[in-house]
Coordinates of all heavy atoms in Angstrom, one line a residue:
M955 N 113.8 110.0 86.9 CA 113.6 108.6 86.7 C 112.9 108.3 85.4 O 112.0 109.1 85.0 CB 112.6 108.1 87.8 CG 112.5 106.6 87.9 SD 111.6 105.9 89.3 CE 112.7 106.0 90.7
D956 N 113.4 107.4 84.6 CA 112.8 107.1 83.3 C 112.0 105.8 83.4 O 111.9 105.1 84.4 CB 113.9 107.0 82.2 CG 114.9 106.0 82.4 OD1 114.7 105.0 83.3 OD2 116.0 106.0 81.8
C957 N 111.4 105.4 82.2 CA 110.5 104.3 82.2 C 111.3 102.9 82.6 O 110.7 102.1 83.2 CB 109.9 104.1 80.8 SG 108.9 105.5 80.3
T958 N 112.5 102.8 82.1 CA 113.2 101.6 82.5 C 113.4 101.5 83.9 O 113.2 100.4 84.5 CB 114.6 101.6 81.7 OG1 114.4 101.9 80.4 CG2 115.3 100.3 81.9
K959 N 113.8 102.5 84.6 CA 114.0 102.5 86.0 C 112.7 102.3 86.7 O 112.7 101.5 87.7 CB 114.5 104.0 86.4 CG 114.8 104.1 87.9 CD 116.1 103.4 88.3 CE 116.4 103.7 89.7 NZ 117.4 102.8 90.3
V960 N 111.6 102.8 86.2 CA 110.3 102.5 86.8 C 110.0 101.1 86.7 O 109.5 100.4 87.7 CB 109.2 103.4 86.2 CG1 107.8 102.9 86.5 CG2 109.3 104.9 86.5
K961 N 110.2 100.5 85.6 CA 110.0 99.1 85.4 C 110.8 98.2 86.4 O 110.3 97.2 86.9 CB 110.3 98.7 83.9 CG 109.2 98.0 83.2 CD 109.7 97.5 81.8 CE 110.1 98.6 80.9 NZ 110.4 98.1 79.5
E962 N 112.0 98.6 86.5 CA 112.9 97.9 87.4 C 112.6 98.0 88.9 O 112.8 97.1 89.6 CB 114.4 98.3 87.2 CG 115.0 97.8 85.9 CD 116.3 98.5 85.6 OE1 116.7 99.4 86.4 OE2 116.9 98.2 84.6
T963 N 112.0 99.1 89.2 CA 111.8 99.4 90.6 C 110.3 99.2 91.1 O 109.9 99.3 92.2 CB 112.2 100.8 91.1 OG1 111.5 101.7 90.2 CG2 113.7 101.0 90.9
L964 N 109.5 98.8 90.1 CA 108.0 98.6 90.4 C 107.8 97.7 91.5 O 107.0 97.9 92.4 CB 107.4 98.1 89.1 CG 105.9 98.1 88.9 CD1 105.4 99.6 89.1 CD2 105.5 97.6 87.6
F965 N 108.6 96.6 91.6 CA 108.4 95.6 92.6 C 108.8 96.1 94.0 O 108.2 95.7 95.0 CB 109.1 94.3 92.3 CG 108.5 93.7 91.0 CD1 109.1 93.9 89.8 CD2 107.3 93.1 91.1 CE1 108.5 93.4 88.6 CE2 106.7 92.6 89.9 CZ 107.3 92.7 88.7
L966 N 109.9 96.9 94.0 CA 110.2 97.5 95.2 C 109.1 98.4 95.8 O 108.9 98.4 97.0 CB 111.5 98.4 95.0 CG 112.7 97.7 94.6 CD1 113.9 98.7 94.4 CD2 113.2 96.6 95.6
F967 N 108.5 99.1 94.9 CA 107.3 99.9 95.3 C 106.2 99.1 96.0 O 105.8 99.4 97.1 CB 106.8 100.7 94.1 CG 105.6 101.6 94.5 CD1 105.9 102.8 95.0 CD2 104.3 101.2 94.2 CE1 104.8 103.7 95.3 CE2 103.3 102.0 94.5 CZ 103.5 103.3 95.1
F968 N 105.9 98.0 95.3 CA 104.8 97.1 95.9 C 105.3 96.4 97.2 O 104.4 96.1 98.0 CB 104.4 96.1 94.8 CG 103.5 96.7 93.8 CD1 103.9 96.7 92.5 CD2 102.3 97.2 94.1 CE1 103.1 97.3 91.5 CE2 101.5 97.8 93.2 CZ 101.8 97.8 91.8
D969 N 106.5 96.2 97.3 CA 107.1 95.5 98.5 C 107.4 96.5 99.6 O 107.8 96.2 100.6 CB 108.4 94.8 98.1 CG 108.2 93.6 97.3 OD1 107.0 93.1 97.2 OD2 109.1 93.0 96.8
N970 N 107.1 97.8 99.3 CA 107.4 98.9 100.2 C 108.9 98.9 100.6 O 109.3 99.2 101.8 CB 106.6 98.7 101.5 CG 105.1 99.1 101.3 OD1 104.9 100.0 100.6 ND2 104.3 98.3 101.8
E971 N 109.7 98.5 99.7 CA 111.2 98.6 99.9 C 111.9 99.7 99.2 O 113.1 99.8 99.2 CB 111.8 97.2 99.4 CG 111.5 96.1 100.3 CD 111.9 94.7 99.7 OE1 112.6 94.7 98.7 OE2 111.5 93.7 100.3
M972 N 111.1 100.6 98.6 CA 111.7 101.7 97.9 C 112.0 102.8 98.9 O 111.2 103.1 99.9 CB 110.7 102.2 96.9 CG 111.2 103.2 95.9 SD 109.9 103.6 94.7 CE 110.0 102.2 93.6
D973 N 113.1 103.5 98.7 CA 113.4 104.6 99.7 C 112.6 105.8 99.3 O 112.1 105.9 98.2 CB 114.9 104.8 99.8 CG 115.6 105.4 98.6 OD1 115.0 106.4 98.1 OD2 116.7 105.0 98.3
Q974 N 112.5 106.7 100.2 CA 111.6 107.9 100.1 C 111.9 108.7 98.8 O 111.0 109.1 98.1 CB 111.8 108.8 101.3 CG 110.9 108.3 102.5 CD 109.5 108.2 102.1 OE1 108.9 109.2 101.5 NE2 108.8 107.2 102.4
T975 N 113.2 108.9 98.5 CA 113.6 109.7 97.3 C 113.1 109.0 96.1 O 112.5 109.7 95.2 CB 115.1 109.9 97.3 OG1 115.6 110.3 98.6 CG2 115.5 111.0 96.3
D976 N 113.4 107.8 96.0 CA 113.0 107.0 94.8 C 111.5 107.0 94.6 O 111.0 107.1 93.6 CB 113.5 105.5 94.9 CG 115.0 105.4 94.5 OD1 115.5 106.5 94.0 OD2 115.5 104.4 94.6
Q977 N 110.9 106.8 95.8 CA 109.4 106.7 95.7 C 108.8 108.0 95.2 O 107.8 108.0 94.4 CB 108.8 106.3 97.1 CG 107.4 106.1 97.0 CD 106.8 105.4 98.2 OE1 107.6 104.6 98.9 NE2 105.6 105.6 98.6
S978 N 109.3 109.1 95.6 CA 108.7 110.4 95.1 C 108.9 110.6 93.7 O 108.1 111.1 92.9 CB 109.1 111.6 96.0 OG 110.4 111.6 96.0
Q979 N 110.1 110.2 93.2 CA 110.4 110.2 91.8 C 109.6 109.2 91.0 O 109.2 109.6 89.9 CB 111.9 109.9 91.5 CG 112.8 111.1 92.0 CD 114.3 110.7 91.9 OE1 114.6 109.7 91.3 NE2 115.1 111.6 92.4
F980 N 109.4 108.1 91.6 CA 108.6 107.1 91.0 C 107.2 107.6 90.8 O 106.5 107.5 89.7 CB 108.6 105.9 91.9 CG 107.9 104.7 91.4 CD1 108.5 103.7 90.7 CD2 106.5 104.5 91.7 CE1 107.8 102.5 90.3 CE2 105.8 103.4 91.4 CZ 106.5 102.4 90.6
E981 N 106.6 108.1 91.8 CA 105.2 108.6 91.7 C 105.1 109.8 90.8 O 104.1 110.0 90.1 CB 104.7 109.0 93.1 CG 104.4 107.7 93.9 CD 104.2 108.0 95.4 OE1 104.4 109.1 95.9 OE2 103.7 107.0 96.1
K982 N 106.1 110.6 90.7 CA 106.1 111.8 89.8 C 106.1 111.2 88.4 O 105.4 111.7 87.5 CB 107.3 112.6 90.1 CG 107.4 113.8 89.2 CD 108.5 114.7 89.5 CE 108.6 116.0 88.6 NZ 108.1 115.8 87.3
H983 N 106.9 110.2 88.1 CA 107.0 109.7 86.8 C 105.6 109.1 86.4 O 105.2 109.3 85.3 CB 108.1 108.6 86.7 CG 108.2 108.0 85.3 ND1 109.1 108.5 84.3 CD2 107.5 107.1 84.7 CE1 108.9 107.9 83.2 NE2 108.0 106.9 83.4
L984 N 105.0 108.4 87.3 CA 103.7 107.8 87.0 C 102.7 108.9 86.6 O 101.9 108.7 85.8 CB 103.2 107.0 88.2 CG 103.9 105.7 88.5 CD1 103.1 105.0 89.6 CD2 103.9 104.8 87.3
S985 N 102.8 110.0 87.3 CA 101.7 111.0 87.0 C 102.0 111.7 85.7 O 101.2 112.3 85.1 CB 101.7 112.1 88.2 OG 102.9 112.7 88.2
D986 N 103.3 111.6 85.2 CA 103.6 112.2 83.9 C 103.6 111.2 82.7 O 103.7 111.5 81.6 CB 105.1 112.7 84.0 CG 105.2 113.9 84.9 OD1 104.1 114.5 85.2 OD2 106.3 114.2 85.3
C987 N 103.5 109.9 83.0 CA 103.7 108.9 82.0 C 102.6 107.9 82.0 O 102.5 107.0 82.9 CB 105.1 108.2 82.2 SG 105.4 106.9 81.0
P988 N 101.6 108.0 81.1 CA 100.5 107.1 81.1 C 100.8 105.7 80.9 O 100.1 104.8 81.5 CB 99.7 107.6 79.8 CG 100.2 109.0 79.5 CD 101.5 109.0 80.1
Q989 N 101.9 105.5 80.2 CA 102.3 104.1 79.9 C 102.7 103.4 81.2 O 102.3 102.3 81.5 CB 103.5 104.1 78.9 CG 103.7 102.8 78.3 CD 105.0 102.8 77.4 OE1 105.5 103.9 77.1 NE2 105.4 101.6 77.0
C990 N 103.5 104.0 82.0 CA 103.9 103.5 83.3 C 102.8 103.4 84.3 O 102.7 102.5 85.1 CB 105.1 104.2 83.9 SG 106.6 104.0 83.0
A991 N 101.9 104.4 84.2 CA 100.7 104.4 85.1 C 99.9 103.2 84.8 O 99.4 102.5 85.7 CB 99.9 105.7 85.0
R992 N 99.8 102.9 83.5 CA 99.0 101.7 83.1 C 99.7 100.4 83.6 O 99.0 99.5 84.1 CB 98.8 101.7 81.6 CG 97.7 100.8 81.1 CD 97.4 101.0 79.7 NE 98.5 100.8 78.8 CZ 98.9 101.7 77.9 NH1 98.2 102.8 77.7 NH2 100.0 101.5 77.2
R993 N 101.0 100.4 83.4 CA 101.7 99.2 83.8 C 101.6 99.0 85.4 O 101.4 97.9 85.8 CB 103.2 99.3 83.4 CG 104.1 98.2 83.9 CD 105.5 98.3 83.6 NE 105.7 98.2 82.1 CZ 106.2 99.2 81.4 NH1 106.6 100.4 81.9 NH2 106.4 99.1 80.1
M994 N 101.6 100.0 86.1 CA 101.5 100.0 87.5 C 100.1 99.4 87.9 O 100.0 98.6 88.8 CB 101.6 101.5 88.0 CG 101.2 101.7 89.3 SD 102.4 101.2 90.5 CE 101.7 101.9 92.0
R995 N 99.1 99.9 87.2 CA 97.7 99.4 87.6 C 97.6 97.9 87.2 O 97.1 97.1 88.0 CB 96.6 100.2 86.8 CG 96.4 101.5 87.4 CD 95.1 102.1 86.8 NE 95.1 102.3 85.4 CZ 95.6 103.4 84.8 NH1 96.0 104.4 85.5 NH2 95.6 103.5 83.5
Y996 N 98.2 97.6 86.1 CA 98.2 96.2 85.6 C 98.9 95.3 86.6 O 98.4 94.2 87.0 CB 98.8 96.1 84.2 CG 99.0 94.8 83.7 CD1 98.0 93.9 83.4 CD2 100.3 94.2 83.7 CE1 98.2 92.6 82.9 CE2 100.6 93.0 83.3 CZ 99.5 92.2 82.9 OH 99.8 90.9 82.5
T997 N 100.1 95.8 87.0 CA 100.9 95.0 87.9 C 100.2 94.8 89.3 O 100.2 93.8 89.9 CB 102.2 95.6 88.1 OG1 102.9 95.8 86.9 CG2 103.2 94.8 89.0
R998 N 99.5 95.9 89.7 CA 98.7 95.8 91.0 C 97.7 94.7 90.9 O 97.5 93.9 91.8 CB 98.1 97.1 91.3 CG 97.7 97.2 92.8 CD 96.6 98.2 93.0 NE 96.9 99.5 92.3 CZ 97.5 100.5 92.9 NH1 97.9 100.5 94.2 NH2 97.6 101.6 92.2
Q999 N 97.0 94.7 89.7 CA 96.0 93.7 89.5 C 96.5 92.3 89.6 O 96.0 91.4 90.1 CB 95.3 93.9 88.2 CG 94.2 95.0 88.1 CD 93.2 94.9 89.2 OE1 93.2 95.6 90.2 NE2 92.3 93.9 89.1
L1000 N 97.6 92.2 88.9 CA 98.3 90.9 88.8 C 98.7 90.4 90.2 O 98.6 89.3 90.5 CB 99.6 91.0 87.9 CG 100.3 89.8 87.4 CD1 99.3 89.0 86.5 CD2 101.5 90.1 86.6
L1001 N 99.2 91.4 91.0 CA 99.6 91.0 92.3 C 98.5 90.5 93.1 O 98.6 89.6 93.9 CB 100.2 92.3 92.9 CG 100.9 92.2 94.3 CD1 102.2 91.5 94.2 CD2 101.1 93.5 94.9
I1002 N 97.4 91.2 93.0 CA 96.2 90.7 93.7 C 95.8 89.3 93.3 O 95.5 88.5 94.1 CB 95.0 91.7 93.4 CG1 95.3 93.1 94.1 CG2 93.7 91.2 94.0 CD1 94.4 94.2 93.7
L1003 N 95.8 89.1 92.0 CA 95.5 87.7 91.5 C 96.4 86.7 92.0 O 96.0 85.6 92.4 CB 95.5 87.8 89.9 CG 94.3 88.5 89.2 CD1 94.5 88.5 87.7 CD2 93.0 87.8 89.6
V1004 N 97.7 87.0 91.9 CA 98.7 86.0 92.4 C 98.5 85.7 93.9 O 98.6 84.6 94.3 CB 100.1 86.6 92.1 CG1 101.2 85.7 92.8 CG2 100.4 86.6 90.6
R1005 N 98.3 86.8 94.6 CA 98.1 86.6 96.1 C 96.9 85.7 96.3 O 96.9 84.9 97.2 CB 97.9 87.9 96.8 CG 99.3 88.6 97.0 CD 99.2 89.7 98.0 NE 100.5 90.2 98.2 CZ 100.8 91.5 98.4 NH1 99.9 92.4 98.3 NH2 102.0 91.8 98.6
R1006 N 95.8 86.0 95.6 CA 94.6 85.3 95.8 C 94.7 83.8 95.4 O 94.2 82.9 96.0 CB 93.5 85.9 94.9 CG 92.1 85.5 95.3 CD 91.1 86.2 94.4 NE 91.0 87.6 94.7 CZ 90.6 88.5 93.8 NH1 90.2 88.2 92.6 NH2 90.5 89.8 94.2
S1007 N 95.5 83.6 94.3 CA 95.5 82.2 93.8 C 96.5 81.3 94.5 O 96.4 80.1 94.6 CB 95.8 82.2 92.3 OG 97.0 82.8 92.0
C1008 N 97.6 81.9 95.1 CA 98.6 81.1 95.7 C 98.7 81.3 97.2 O 99.5 80.6 97.9 CB 100.0 81.2 95.1 SG 100.7 82.8 95.1
G1009 N 97.8 82.1 97.8 CA 97.8 82.2 99.2 C 99.1 82.5 99.8 O 99.9 83.3 99.3
R1010 N 99.5 81.7 100.9 CA 100.7 82.0 101.6 C 101.8 81.0 101.2 O 102.9 81.0 101.8 CB 100.5 81.9 103.1 CG 99.6 83.0 103.6 CD 99.6 83.0 105.1 NE 98.8 84.1 105.7 CZ 97.5 84.1 105.7 NH1 96.8 83.0 105.4 NH2 96.8 85.1 106.2
Q1011 N 101.5 80.1 100.3 CA 102.5 79.0 100.0 C 103.6 79.5 99.1 O 103.6 80.5 98.4 CB 101.7 77.9 99.4 CG 100.8 78.3 98.3 CD 100.3 77.2 97.5 OE1 101.0 76.6 96.7 NE2 99.0 77.0 97.7
A1012 N 104.6 78.6 99.0 CA 105.7 78.6 98.0 C 106.4 80.0 97.9 O 106.7 80.6 98.8 CB 105.1 78.2 96.7
A1013 N 106.7 80.3 96.6 CA 107.6 81.5 96.4 C 107.0 82.8 96.9 O 105.8 82.9 96.9 CB 107.8 81.6 94.9
P1014 N 107.8 83.6 97.4 CA 107.3 85.0 97.8 C 106.6 85.6 96.7 O 107.0 85.5 95.5 CB 108.6 85.7 98.2 CG 109.6 84.7 98.4 CD 109.2 83.5 97.6
T1015 N 105.5 86.3 97.0 CA 104.7 86.9 96.0 C 105.5 87.8 95.0 O 105.3 87.7 93.8 CB 103.6 87.8 96.6 OG1 102.9 87.0 97.5 CG2 102.7 88.4 95.6
A1016 N 106.4 88.6 95.5 CA 107.1 89.5 94.6 C 108.0 88.7 93.6 O 108.0 89.1 92.5 CB 108.0 90.4 95.5
L1017 N 108.5 87.6 94.1 CA 109.4 86.8 93.2 C 108.5 86.2 92.1 O 108.9 86.3 90.9 CB 110.0 85.7 94.0 CG 110.9 84.8 93.2 CD1 112.0 85.5 92.5 CD2 111.5 83.7 94.1
R1018 N 107.4 85.6 92.5 CA 106.5 85.0 91.5 C 106.1 86.1 90.5 O 106.1 85.8 89.2 CB 105.2 84.5 92.2 CG 105.3 83.2 92.8 CD 104.0 82.8 93.3 NE 103.1 82.3 92.2 CZ 103.0 81.0 91.8 NH1 103.8 80.1 92.4 NH2 102.3 80.7 90.9
L1019 N 105.7 87.2 91.0 CA 105.2 88.3 90.1 C 106.3 88.7 89.2 O 106.0 89.0 88.0 CB 104.7 89.4 91.0 CG 104.0 90.6 90.3 CD1 102.8 90.1 89.5 CD2 103.6 91.6 91.4
R1020 N 107.5 88.8 89.7 CA 108.6 89.2 88.9 C 108.8 88.3 87.7 O 109.0 88.6 86.5 CB 109.8 89.3 89.7 CG 110.9 90.1 89.2 CD 112.0 90.3 90.2 NE 111.6 91.1 91.3 CZ 112.1 91.0 92.6 NH1 113.0 90.1 92.8 NH2 111.6 91.8 93.5
I1021 N 108.7 87.0 88.0 CA 108.8 86.0 87.0 C 107.7 86.1 85.9 O 108.0 86.1 84.7 CB 108.9 84.6 87.6 CG1 110.1 84.4 88.5 CG2 108.8 83.5 86.5 CD1 110.1 83.3 89.4
V1022 N 106.5 86.1 86.4 CA 105.4 86.2 85.6 C 105.4 87.4 84.6 O 105.2 87.3 83.4 CB 104.0 86.2 86.4 CG1 102.9 86.6 85.5 CG2 103.8 84.9 87.1
T1023 N 105.7 88.6 85.2 CA 105.8 89.8 84.5 C 106.9 89.7 83.4 O 106.7 90.2 82.3 CB 105.9 91.0 85.4 OG1 104.9 91.0 86.4 CG2 105.8 92.3 84.6
R1024 N 108.0 89.2 83.8 CA 109.1 89.1 82.9 C 108.8 88.2 81.7 O 109.0 88.6 80.6 CB 110.4 88.6 83.6 CG 111.6 88.6 82.7 CD 112.8 88.6 83.6 NE 112.9 89.8 84.4 CZ 113.8 89.9 85.4 NH1 114.6 89.0 85.7 NH2 113.8 91.1 86.1
L1025 N 108.2 87.1 81.9 CA 107.7 86.2 80.9 C 106.7 87.0 80.0 O 106.8 86.9 78.8 CB 107.0 85.0 81.4 CG 107.9 84.0 82.2 CD1 107.1 83.0 82.8 CD2 108.9 83.4 81.2
R1026 N 105.8 87.6 80.6 CA 104.8 88.4 79.8 C 105.3 89.5 79.0 O 105.0 89.7 77.9 CB 103.7 88.8 80.8 CG 102.5 89.3 80.2 CD 101.3 89.3 81.1 NE 100.9 87.9 81.3 CZ 100.0 87.6 82.2 NH1 99.6 88.5 83.1 NH2 99.6 86.3 82.4
L1027 N 106.2 90.3 79.6 CA 106.8 91.4 78.9 C 107.7 90.9 77.7 O 107.7 91.6 76.8 CB 107.6 92.3 79.9 CG 106.9 93.1 80.9 CD1 107.8 93.8 81.9 CD2 105.9 94.1 80.3
G1028 N 108.3 89.8 78.0 CA 109.2 89.2 77.0 C 108.4 88.9 75.7 O 108.9 89.0 74.6
R1029 N 107.1 88.5 75.9 CA 106.3 88.1 74.8 C 105.5 89.3 74.2 O 104.7 89.1 73.3 CB 105.4 87.0 75.1 CG 106.1 85.7 75.3 CD 105.1 84.6 75.3 NE 105.4 83.6 76.3 CZ 104.7 83.4 77.4 NH1 103.5 84.0 77.5 NH2 105.0 82.5 78.3
G1030 N 105.6 90.4 74.8 CA 104.7 91.6 74.5 C 103.5 91.6 75.3 O 103.3 90.8 76.1
A1031 N 102.7 92.7 75.1 CA 101.7 93.0 76.0 C 100.4 92.2 75.7 O 99.4 92.4 76.5 CB 101.4 94.5 76.1
Q1032 N 100.4 91.5 74.7 CA 99.1 90.9 74.2 C 98.8 89.5 74.7 O 97.9 88.8 74.3 CB 99.0 90.8 72.7 CG 99.2 92.2 72.0 CD 98.2 93.3 72.6 OE1 97.0 93.0 72.8 NE2 98.7 94.5 72.9
T1033 N 99.7 89.0 75.6 CA 99.6 87.6 76.0 C 98.8 87.4 77.3 O 98.9 86.4 77.9 CB 101.0 87.0 76.2 OG1 101.8 87.9 77.1 CG2 101.7 86.9 74.9
L1034 N 97.9 88.3 77.6 CA 97.0 88.1 78.7 C 96.2 86.8 78.4 O 95.6 86.6 77.3 CB 96.0 89.2 78.8 CG 96.5 90.3 79.8 CD1 95.5 91.5 79.6 CD2 96.5 89.9 81.2
H1035 N 96.0 86.0 79.4 CA 95.2 84.8 79.1 C 94.0 84.6 80.0 O 93.7 85.5 80.8 CB 96.1 83.5 79.2 CG 96.8 83.4 80.6 ND1 96.3 82.8 81.7 CD2 98.0 83.9 80.9 CE1 97.2 82.9 82.6 NE2 98.2 83.6 82.2
Ligands
LIG441 ZN1 107.3 105.9 81.9

C-alpha cells in the first residue's frame, strides 16, 4: 500500500469499512510512514471535532469529513483555521 492508497482509504478505516487485508497493510504503512501517521492523527482529531460540532444532524460524518479534508488538502496543509 502506498501513500495515495492510504489517503484514499483513510475514511474506510475510520468507518470500520476496511477489509482485514487492507487494514493490516494500512497499519503497516502507517508504522513505516511518518507522513501518513501524521495525517491519520490529524484526521482523527478532525473527526472528533466534526462529530462534536455537528452532533447527529445532517450529512454523515464521514462524508462531511471527506469534503473538509479534500478542501483542505487542495489548498495545502497550512490552512488550519
Ligand atoms: Zn505514506
Side-chain angles (χ1 to χ4, degrees):
M955 191 174 280
D956 62 15
C957 294
T958 307
K959 180 79 174 160
V960 166
K961 235 187 295 187
E962 285 170 358
T963 55
L964 197 54
F965 296 100
L966 295 178
F967 181 79
F968 283 116
D969 289 345
N970 290 317
E971 285 172 13
M972 192 177 278
D973 71 44
Q974 278 301 313
T975 314
D976 280 355
Q977 186 166 330
S978 55
Q979 287 175 7
F980 181 93
E981 285 169 350
K982 181 177 184 326
H983 182 94
L984 286 186
S985 65
D986 293 343
C987 179
Q989 198 185 347
C990 287
R992 196 168 58 230
R993 178 179 294 119
M994 165 79 170
R995 283 195 299 273
Y996 170 73
T997 305
R998 197 205 313 267
Q999 283 305 108
L1000 194 63
L1001 186 73
I1002 291 166
L1003 287 174
V1004 170
R1005 279 192 177 144
R1006 197 178 288 157
S1007 62
C1008 62
R1010 292 190 178 80
Q1011 47 170 289
T1015 304
L1017 177 62
R1018 277 186 78 91
L1019 185 57
R1020 198 171 293 154
I1021 294 165
V1022 169
T1023 306
R1024 185 156 300 168
L1025 289 171
R1026 190 157 288 168
L1027 290 175
R1029 287 195 223 115
Q1032 303 306 317
T1033 51
L1034 270 173
H1035 50 92

